[in-house]
Amino acid sequence: MRFDNKVLFVTGGASGIGRATAERVVAEGGRAALVDLDGDRAVAVADEIGDGCIGLAADVADEQQVKAAVQATVEQLGGVDLALAAGGHAEFGPTAEWDAERFMKMLSVHVGGTFYVCKNVLPAMKARGSGSIVTIASTAAFMANNNNVPYGAAKAGISGLTRQLILEALPEIRINCIAPGRTITGMTTPLMLERGGDMEKGEEIFGRAIPMKRMGTADELAAAICFFLSDDASFITGQTLIVDGGETIV
Ligand SMILES: NC(=O)c1ccc[n+]([C@@H]2O[C@H](COP(=O)([O-])OP(=O)(O)OC[C@H]3O[C@@H](n4cnc5c(N)ncnc54)[C@H](O)[C@@H]3O)[C@@H](O)[C@H]2O)c1
């Protein structure tokens, strides 16, 4: 029970990696505030996960909405001990097709959203005297993929933000980053179906470039995130851990 009496604030909590992390934290004794652009789904998932969880609507690209969600979490769950910034979207295409508005939205949601989550949970964690934050980059921060310049730039920004921020937290607050490779979630399911026709064929196609010859699951990512969130990682801060079945090695 690594998360006994701990409260997790998680954006993107209604789906995929965010949801899987909330489920693990609750299974190990904690409670969670699931925050998502889709507030109705966040409430429904919070109800499914169990007692003590709440669902909240917020667009992470809007600092006031993030701030209000943190305040609601403190009021309803008593504080914030753990945070995961996992809310975000994926969009791809050649650079020539990205106008300024579309490009800035990618940066606002991913880099901005991560910044607003960290900035607004830090005071609540400082009030507790300890805490652990995990941000989400991507293998796209470290390797080139076709049609992926804005997303790759945003994800590299998140890894850099994580490193810089540790000096502004208390020594007792750790901040780390997970860089997922290809993972089966709400984000990739439509791409898998489009490329493969069904999920099995889609995974086979996406898995070809991966030494482990398969995609990751949301729960496998949640396991790595929960390592960073927990005291098992008590002397690790500012790091980015790649969880990708070996794709970036080859
Ligand atoms: N799935 C992958 O292969 C993969 C790989 C690398 C990185 N990631 C990253 O992992 C994180 C989680 O994604 P996932 O794979 O679980 O996808 P997902 O689509 O299953 O979950 C993402 C959630 O974020 C929410 N969201 C989107 N925009 C938001 C916004 N502006 N404000 C608040 N919530 C918003 C969505 O509604 C959704 O519920 C994302 O940052 C994503 O970029 C995913």
Side-chain angles (χ1 to χ4, degrees):
M1 300 300 257
R2 292 179 295 178
F3 304 118
D4 237 350
N5 298 318
K6 301 281 189 199
V7 173
L8 169 72
F9 178 91
V10 49
T11 62
S15 180
I17 295 167
R19 176 188 176 144
T21 302
E23 284 172 346
R24 273 191 175 250
V25 166
V26 169
E28 292 196 51
R31 291 171 295 151
L34 280 66
V35 183
D36 205 283
L37 197 55
D38 186 340
D40 290 342
R41 198 149 43 91
V43 171
V45 171
D47 287 346
E48 272 175 49
I49 292 181
D51 284 347
C53 290
I54 57 170
L56 300 165
D59 179 349
V60 294
D62 181 332
E63 181 173 11
Q64 290 315 312
Q65 293 187 32
V66 174
K67 191 174 181 181
V70 171
Q71 274 168 356
T73 304
V74 171
E75 280 163 22
Q76 294 178 50
L77 300 183
V80 177
D81 306 285
L82 315 167
L84 170 65
H89 65 299
E91 270 188 49
F92 310 102
T95 295
E97 288 177 6
W98 287 75
D99 61 18
E101 191 184 342
R102 191 177 171 209
F103 179 66
M104 290 314 293
K105 184 182 173 197
M106 181 61 77
L107 294 187
S108 304
V109 169
H110 287 275
V111 187
T114 302
F115 180 71
Y116 302 141
V117 168
C118 293
K119 180 182 166 190
N120 285 283
V121 298
L122 271 173
M125 290 181 175
K126 285 179 178 173
R128 294 273 233 233
S130 67
S132 181
I133 302 174
V134 175
T135 62
I136 303 284
S138 164
T139 49
F142 306 105
M143 64 187 288
N145 311 110
N146 288 324
N147 301 321
N148 213 14
V149 171
Y151 185 77
K155 290 307 196 179
I158 290 172
S159 181
L161 176 159
T162 306
R163 250 189 321 277
Q164 296 295 337
L165 199 62
I166 63 166
L167 296 179
E168 292 190 40
L170 294 178
E172 297 81 9
I173 298 174
R174 296 178 298 97
I175 311 168
N176 290 290
C177 180
I178 292 283
R182 298 160 191 238
T183 308
I184 304 166
T185 66
M187 189 174 277
T188 47
T189 295
L191 302 171
M192 292 167 71
L193 291 173
E194 190 188 307
R195 291 277 293 277
D198 61 48
M199 291 296 282
E200 199 179 332
K201 185 69 182 161
E203 184 175 3
E204 194 240 296
I205 292 168
F206 278 102
R208 279 178 198 158
I210 301 173
M212 291 183 72
K213 296 295 169 212
R214 66 174 178 86
M215 294 172 71
T217 65
D219 190 53
E220 287 175 310
L221 268 298
I225 292 162
C226 285
F227 166 67
F228 274 155
L229 289 177
S230 79
D231 288 344
D232 288 343
S234 56
F235 197 47
I236 305 176
T237 194
Q239 296 298 317
T240 297
L241 176 66
I242 298 173
V243 181
D244 70 345
E247 186 179 5
T248 46
I249 297 298
V250 291

